[in-house]
Amino acid sequence: MHRLASIAVFVLLAMTPRPGHADSASVIEVGTFSSAPEGAEPPNGWRPLTFPKIPRHTRYELIKEGDAAVVRAVSEAAASGLVHEVRVDLKDYPILQWRWKVEQVNRKSDVHTKQGDDYAARIYVTFEYDPDAVSLAGKAKYRLGRLLFGEIPIAAINYVWENSTPKNTIVPSPYTDFSRMIVIENAGSPAGQWIMEERNVYEDYKRAFGEEPPPVN
């Protein structure tokens, strides 16, 4: 839950193919925000994600910045997300690209603690349950997780804009080992400026979980 106001603005999310792939000229545009009309509604194909125990929600709106529309997220003692469902095989499309900026870093964020699980911005990538791509231990944990929480992804990667942890640090979420935190920006990154990100999610998953990834969902 955000304890101070922060603004994260996203312009594009795209999955790009592996070099040499037959369709290497194509991308999967997950968030075509820059061509969306300006307004308060979520971008086409996206829906709000809210949490029952958090009464105040982040405010999302499409605004114009220069010639492009961007998603502005404003959070003041609030939290919520925007979700888009898409099925991607990382063997074919391993690269995730996006551009974002924040107004300020949350100085209390810390990937190692529950109290610090609060970031200026984050991108979640979740993975569907595929029995053929999950270890026996993973299957057992997934069955237990579904008993406790209902329908859940088999795994998740959080790309976070943290405070003081070195970039490219990978640690388990302080809440669940179904999720891994990967720090890609921190207080040393420039606030108020656009930063283009590119992550090989396929390789990140293997480093984070030690096995082949199931499809992104």
Side-chain angles (χ1 to χ4, degrees):
M1 191 169 184
H2 291 280
R3 289 178 281 273
L4 56 119
S6 61
I7 298 179
V9 189
F10 310 90
V11 69
L12 175 68
L13 282 162
M15 300 296 298
T16 64
R18 185 183 299 279
H21 189 273
D23 297 322
S24 59
S26 67
V27 299
I28 299 173
E29 292 185 329
V30 182
T32 54
F33 306 140
S34 57
S35 61
E38 188 175 9
E41 294 299 316
N44 186 38
W46 290 72
R47 59 179 175 80
L49 173 68
T50 59
F51 311 100
K53 295 182 179 180
I54 299 179
R56 297 185 64 182
H57 302 150
T58 302
R59 301 191 305 276
Y60 294 94
E61 61 179 340
L62 284 161
I63 65 167
K64 281 288 187 180
E65 181 165 305
D67 296 329
V70 298
V71 177
R72 180 170 66 184
V74 181
S75 179
E76 299 175 80
S80 63
L82 288 177
V83 178
H84 180 72
E85 296 180 9
V86 59
R87 193 178 194 278
V88 178
D89 187 337
L90 292 179
K91 292 184 179 67
D92 296 326
Y93 290 84
I95 308 299
L96 175 64
Q97 295 175 325
W98 74 93
R99 190 157 65 106
W100 61 355
K101 68 177 178 179
V102 301
E103 184 180 71
Q104 58 186 337
V105 174
N106 185 344
R107 297 292 177 175
K108 296 182 179 180
S109 63
D110 181 355
V111 290
H112 302 281
T113 68
K114 290 183 178 180
Q115 293 81 5
D117 188 52
D118 185 11
Y119 309 99
R122 72 169 103 194
I123 299 286
Y124 272 100
V125 181
T126 64
F127 299 83
E128 70 178 33
Y129 180 65
D130 180 358
D132 295 332
V134 179
S135 66
L136 289 175
K139 291 175 184 177
K141 284 191 287 188
Y142 181 73
R143 286 194 293 268
L144 177 60
R146 289 197 63 181
L147 286 174
L148 294 173
F149 305 112
E151 191 64 34
I152 58 171
I154 185 61
I157 287 176
N158 280 243
Y159 293 112
V160 299
W161 196 315
E162 205 242 34
N163 176 33
S164 59
T165 303
K167 295 180 183 179
N168 291 310
T169 297
I170 303 177
V171 297
S173 164
Y175 285 96
T176 171
D177 63 1
F178 278 100
S179 183
R180 295 292 187 272
M181 319 300 290
I182 303 182
V183 177
I184 57 172
E185 302 295 345
N186 55 27
S189 306
Q193 297 182 28
W194 287 106
I195 297 179
M196 176 63 79
E197 309 287 5
E198 179 175 295
R199 300 295 305 192
N200 188 317
V201 186
Y202 178 82
E203 295 298 337
D204 282 345
Y205 188 98
K206 290 202 298 181
R207 282 194 295 269
F209 292 99
E211 59 188 25
E212 287 289 313
V216 168
N217 65 2

